[in-house]
């Protein structure tokens, strides 16, 4: 189950771009909360606090609890606009979460025991992570912060697919319901190519 992470926010009035620019100069990020039956709400957040939070995986895949004067709204991050050149977050979009409604979210994959696997211990095997995250559907209470993919038995020639992932209870991968063509590879283990210079070395000798 995903943990919740509380973030303090302040309500703001919907204004023109000039007002948003002044907020950013003051170290504040303008944002919007939307979704559900309620009207969209304009909020602002402390830039330094969010800059630190967004360096963690959970900021992108977990339920976030926005605290507005003691009133908690559970949301998922849906969009983040960054400055193209500066370490500056320009705007955030949050989607309200209904505890009783199934949601769709991207969850990071954590690959474990790769180094101790037959493929991981072989010098001539290249292990490639084809996907770093997976789209899942579940109730908010079941949303995992990450999903472990155990590669302990991975060997040369193996391919790990979406259908091989052991999902937490209550969690599904919508793509698998669309048929085998959507059962994408997430890990491959192949023999690496021999460097041409190494092949020619014995002949040169």
């Amino acid at each position: 189950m995903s943990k919740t992470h509380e973030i303090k926010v302040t309500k703001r009035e919907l204004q023109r771009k000039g007002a948003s620019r002044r907020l950013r100069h003051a170290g504040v990020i303008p944002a919007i909360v939307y979704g559900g039956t309620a009207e969209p709400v304009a909020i602002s957040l402390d830039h330094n606090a969010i800059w630190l939070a967004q360096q963690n995986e959970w900021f992108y895949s977990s339920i976030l609890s926005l605290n507005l004067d003691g009133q908690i709204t559970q949301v998922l991050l849906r969009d983040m606009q960054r400055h193209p050149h500066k370490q500056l977050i320009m705007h955030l979009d949050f989607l309200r979460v209904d505890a009783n409604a199934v949601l769709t979210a991207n969850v990071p994959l954590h690959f474990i025991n790769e180094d101790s696997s037959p493929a991981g211990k072989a010098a001539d095997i290249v292990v490639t992570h084809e996907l770093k995250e997976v789209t899942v559907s579940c109730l908010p209470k079941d949303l995992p912060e990450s999903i472990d993919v155990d590669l302990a038995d991975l060997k040369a020639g193996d391919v790990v697919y979406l259908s091989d992932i052991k999902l937490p209870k209550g969690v599904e991968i919508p793509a698998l319901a669309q048929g085998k063509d959507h059962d994408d590879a997430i890990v491959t283990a192949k023999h690496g190519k021999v460097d041409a210079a190494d092949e020619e070395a014995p002949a040169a000798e």
Side-chain angles (χ1 to χ4, degrees):
M1 175 180 174
S2 176
K3 297 178 181 178
T4 56
H5 302 270
E6 186 171 309
I7 298 174
K8 290 185 178 181
V9 303
T10 302
K11 190 173 181 179
R12 65 183 176 89
E13 297 298 325
L14 284 172
Q15 297 172 322
R16 297 179 179 179
K17 291 184 178 180
S20 294
R21 191 179 302 115
R22 287 192 294 273
L23 285 174
R24 286 190 284 267
H25 286 166
V28 177
I29 306 172
I32 191 80
V33 180
Y34 64 93
T37 57
E39 292 294 320
V41 176
I43 60 172
S44 59
L45 309 89
D46 178 74
H47 188 278
N48 289 340
I50 298 303
W51 183 259
L52 292 175
Q54 60 87 34
Q55 297 178 43
N56 299 281
E57 277 186 342
W58 57 258
F59 188 73
Y60 304 92
S61 60
S62 299
I63 303 295
L64 305 176
S65 295
L66 301 185
N67 185 335
L68 176 58
D69 297 327
Q71 182 178 353
I72 301 296
T73 301
Q74 291 195 321
V75 300
L76 279 172
L77 177 68
R78 277 300 183 239
D79 187 52
M80 175 188 291
Q81 298 176 22
R82 300 174 184 268
H83 192 282
H85 309 300
K86 302 177 182 178
Q87 290 188 339
L88 186 67
I89 300 171
M90 306 293 287
H91 193 274
L92 297 169
D93 288 4
F94 295 104
L95 176 67
R96 293 188 184 95
V97 170
D98 183 342
N100 299 312
V102 172
L103 58 81
T104 300
N106 292 331
V107 175
L109 297 174
H110 288 176
F111 301 99
I112 61 174
N113 298 321
E114 178 181 325
D115 291 342
S116 60
S117 70
K121 291 189 289 187
D124 61 337
I125 303 300
V126 177
V127 178
T128 304
H129 300 165
E130 304 289 350
L131 295 177
K132 295 182 179 180
E133 62 181 19
V134 61
T135 301
V136 304
S137 61
C138 61
L139 290 173
K141 68 180 181 64
D142 297 323
L143 180 64
E145 288 193 359
S146 62
I147 296 176
D148 288 342
V149 179
D150 193 347
L151 302 180
D153 297 324
L154 188 71
K155 58 185 183 298
D158 283 352
V159 179
V160 181
Y161 294 93
L162 286 175
S163 57
D164 296 319
I165 297 177
K166 293 184 179 179
L167 297 171
K169 184 178 179 180
V171 179
E172 298 180 352
I173 298 177
L176 295 179
Q178 301 179 41
K180 292 183 178 180
D181 290 344
H182 296 270
D183 190 9
D184 296 333
I186 58 174
V187 176
T188 58
K190 300 179 181 179
H191 284 281
K193 293 182 180 179
V194 178
D195 188 274
D198 293 337
E199 288 184 333
E200 295 175 0
E205 291 176 357

